Amino acid sequence: MPPLLTPAPSLLTLARVGKTYDDGTPALAGIDAEIARGSFVSLVGPSGCGKSTLLRIAAGLTRASEGEVRWQDGARPANLGFVFQDATLMPWARVFDNVWLPLKLQGIARKTAGPRIMAALSLVGLAERADAFPRELSGGMRMRVSIARALVTDPPILLMDEPFAALDEFTREKLDDDLLTLWRDQGLTILFVTHSVYESVYLSQRVLVMGTRPGRIVEEIVIDAGYPRTAFRESPSFHAACRAVSSALRKGVPA
Amino acid sequence: MIARAPFLRVAVPLAVGVGVLIAWEGLVRFYQVPAFLLPAPTAIWQAFAANADNLMVSLWVTLKVTLAAFALAVVGGVGLAVLFSQNRLIEMALFPYAVVLQVTPVVAIAPLILIWVGLDHAERALLILAWIVAFFPMLSNTTLGLRSADHNLRDLYKLYGASRWQTLTELQLPSALPYILAGMKISGGLALIGAVVAEFVAGSGTSTGLAWRIIESANRLQIAKMFAALFLLSGLGIAIFFALTLLEHLTLRHWHESAVKREN
């Protein structure tokens, strides 16, 4: 008899991934991780633990020195979404054209891409600012445009590198909530890098806690609260989970 | 506050200019300075009016050389910088020679160029010499600009499989635009300087630009006419500068830090 609950197939598998920089510094060693389709996973760790490097390896922007990055469909999806810490918009292009970029590079004409661009902008609540230039927007709005650009390709996975770290607390909480809504409504798969314990616990189903020298995963903590998590944020179990992540973080940093 | 009022920004320097002209006129008349040392502004105006045809033809000659040299410098500088950005080996091979061209005083090369193009084609020598002077700022600014594209944006282009051509035209060239425009402002002024210097050195007889009018007037002690030619040259330089500043403003006003107005 088949088991009642088959685990969701893993979209992305990191197997014994290691990275040594050209000068011989070990950045990452023996990273094993599985990202299931439809899941929200956070990588949390102190600065210099290589969490951004790991994300770049997953995206194919940096080559791993050891180990393997396996995708469910074989090759790395060409339309994966990547969100940087800065909004990384082209300042000379209007919001509409910034979001068009991934499609434009695939050879899709501006007019053909129009409905998809506007749909992505509607998802982040910025359809009305399509004609604005990035510098006319606030930091939070720029980040929303960046997310819209990542979503316009209908990506199988969204890789986010400390996307809200530069924003103020209030904006950050709002964007966290909106990201969760997007994740649930659109059935996204998200791998989210952050150095904020609270953010990782609030957002994700699984928190991969990283340690330094070399960068490695020291513990995986499952957060099994349901969504939406507004009430969870005030609950004792939220604080218990934060404590668990914090103590794992302390373990990961050699004295 | 004061610096922002557009009226004052024009009116204040204009008032200074008018004040200087009046003082100049007054002092020349009062001390009866000889006209071959310092002619009064009214005398310069009369000299200009008397020689207007001749001077305007010269202005046109100098303008043509300047604009042609400038255009070639922009095309050549941006073109070579793009080539450098695509191929490190070509950059390594050629950049030092571009520097050699830049640091060698143009006055020193002028006689050689003049011999090469033939004394009958002095205007070609002027063009080449002015181009040499104007070329380097375009090359170095564009090279810097093409390299200054945001690294995360480069990664993004890589991630989405952009071709080299797409990365160049959609990312690197727009990123370089502020640098290119700054280079053009320098280069535009230098093209005029190059045209004038080249004419001083090369323009023996066959040339008819403003620089030659200055030499000619000096030889004949027509100092008022010389001043008139000098003012025309300044005016030309100012016009080039303002035209390029306007171009810069119109191109960058929506997005670049340098051109955006802030409320304080």
Side-chain angles (χ1 to χ4, degrees):
Chain A
M1 202 174 88
L4 285 174
L5 275 172
T6 43
S10 161
L11 175 68
L12 164 65
T13 308
L14 304 174
R16 310 304 302 162
V17 167
K19 172 76 184 174
T20 308
Y21 289 130
D22 289 342
D23 62 2
T25 323
L28 294 169
I31 305 270
D32 284 308
E34 303 226 342
I35 313 298
R37 200 176 277 278
S39 65
F40 198 128
V41 179
S42 285
L43 279 169
V44 63
S47 336
C49 73
K51 50 193 191 299
S52 295
T53 308
L54 188 58
L55 202 68
R56 291 175 58 86
I57 288 174
L61 287 171
T62 303
R63 198 192 298 268
S65 329
E66 296 127 43
E68 252 190 294
V69 178
R70 281 198 295 270
W71 292 92
Q72 191 178 35
D73 308 323
R76 175 174 68 86
N79 58 339
L80 60 75
F82 199 102
V83 178
F84 298 88
Q85 181 176 345
D86 301 317
T88 311
L89 302 175
M90 299 176 290
W92 56 84
R94 293 174 194 273
V95 164
F96 185 94
D97 295 305
N98 265 292
V99 177
W100 176 34
L101 178 73
L103 301 177
K104 186 186 195 180
L105 293 176
Q106 288 173 14
I108 300 176
R110 197 170 188 269
K111 208 169 171 188
T112 320
R116 289 172 71 183
I117 295 167
M118 290 316 290
L121 280 172
S122 303
L123 284 179
V124 299
L126 279 178
E128 276 158 28
R129 305 306 304 272
D131 284 333
F133 282 93
R135 59 162 301 133
E136 297 165 10
L137 305 177
S138 67
M141 286 162 130
R142 270 181 256 176
M143 192 42 82
R144 285 169 190 275
V145 176
S146 189
I147 292 171
R149 179 180 59 193
L151 290 178
V152 78
T153 58
D154 208 356
I157 187 169
L158 205 51
L159 305 173
M160 307 183 84
D161 188 3
E162 303 192 29
F164 310 142
L167 303 175
D168 63 82
E169 194 74 21
F170 178 77
T171 310
R172 182 180 196 161
E173 278 181 13
K174 178 86 175 80
L175 280 172
D176 280 344
D177 282 332
D178 291 352
L179 183 64
L180 280 182
T181 309
L182 273 176
W183 169 65
R184 295 173 66 210
D185 291 355
Q186 307 295 312
L188 302 173
T189 306
I190 298 181
L191 179 55
F192 191 95
V193 167
T194 178
H195 55 235
S196 160
V197 171
Y198 302 101
E199 195 174 39
S200 68
V201 171
Y202 180 64
L203 290 175
S204 40
Q205 299 168 309
R206 286 159 62 217
V207 179
L208 307 178
V209 182
M210 291 185 70
T212 52
R213 284 183 270 165
R216 66 223 137 88
I217 294 175
V218 289
E219 206 164 320
E220 174 174 340
I221 293 167
V222 175
I223 316 289
D224 56 7
Y227 296 89
R229 283 180 164 177
T230 10
F232 170 63
R233 182 142 57 179
E234 313 295 334
S235 72
S237 52
F238 177 77
H239 294 288
C242 289
R243 270 198 304 279
V245 173
S246 295
S247 81
L249 271 173
R250 273 193 294 277
K251 267 193 294 181
V253 184
Chain B
M1 267 304 284
I2 285 176
R4 298 224 167 269
F7 168 73
L8 288 180
R9 293 194 73 156
V10 179
V12 170
L14 216 58
V16 171
V18 171
V20 167
L21 284 180
I22 290 171
W24 179 353
E25 183 82 33
L27 289 171
V28 166
R29 283 179 186 225
F30 183 79
Y31 290 107
Q32 297 185 334
V33 182
F36 59 85
L37 279 183
L38 183 66
T42 44
I44 294 168
W45 174 253
Q46 280 158 7
F48 171 72
N51 298 286
D53 290 350
N54 171 313
L55 284 172
M56 291 319 271
V57 168
S58 297
L59 177 72
W60 177 234
V61 169
T62 303
L63 181 65
K64 267 195 303 190
V65 171
T66 304
L67 290 185
F70 175 59
L72 289 176
V74 171
V75 172
V78 172
L80 197 60
V82 165
L83 196 65
F84 283 0
S85 78
Q86 297 301 303
N87 191 326
R88 287 291 297 178
L89 197 68
I90 297 181
E91 177 175 2
M92 268 160 52
L94 293 186
F95 197 79
Y97 296 100
V99 176
V100 169
L101 204 62
Q102 153 76 2
V103 296
T104 309
V106 70
V107 180
I109 329 174
L112 186 63
I113 302 285
L114 194 63
I115 289 169
W116 281 349
V117 299
L119 289 168
D120 299 338
H121 300 294
E123 76 287 345
R124 287 186 204 168
L126 299 190
L127 183 61
I128 292 170
L129 291 166
W131 174 80
I132 289 175
V133 179
F135 169 73
F136 193 76
M138 288 313 303
L139 175 68
S140 61
N141 269 37
T142 311
T143 301
L144 182 66
L146 289 173
R147 283 196 197 132
S148 70
D150 183 271
H151 274 92
N152 286 337
L153 273 173
R154 274 177 198 263
D155 281 344
L156 200 72
Y157 272 70
K158 200 169 134 191
L159 204 62
Y160 289 121
S163 65
R164 269 178 103 127
W165 176 252
Q166 284 174 321
T167 308
L168 175 69
T169 55
E170 310 275 337
L171 175 63
Q172 286 179 286
L173 281 174
S175 302
L177 201 56
Y179 296 82
I180 293 175
L181 289 162
M184 283 169 76
K185 277 211 295 206
I186 303 170
S187 193
L190 284 179
L192 179 61
I193 293 176
V196 169
V197 170
E199 205 179 336
F200 274 163
V201 183
S204 47
T206 54
S207 123
T208 49
L210 278 175
W212 191 249
R213 290 288 155 258
I214 288 174
I215 295 178
E216 192 185 63
S217 317
N219 291 343
R220 295 178 191 166
L221 272 183
Q222 295 171 329
I223 307 301
K225 188 181 169 193
M226 184 172 152
F227 265 99
L230 205 52
F231 277 123
L232 282 178
L233 267 181
S234 296
L236 187 53
I238 292 167
I240 290 172
F241 181 83
F242 273 110
L244 291 172
T245 304
L246 184 68
L247 177 70
E248 184 178 54
H249 177 75
L250 292 178
T251 317
L252 302 181
R253 64 184 156 167
H254 286 303
W255 62 274
H256 198 254
E257 211 56 52
S258 64
V260 175
K261 269 200 193 132
R262 284 179 63 109
E263 300 288 335
N264 284 320

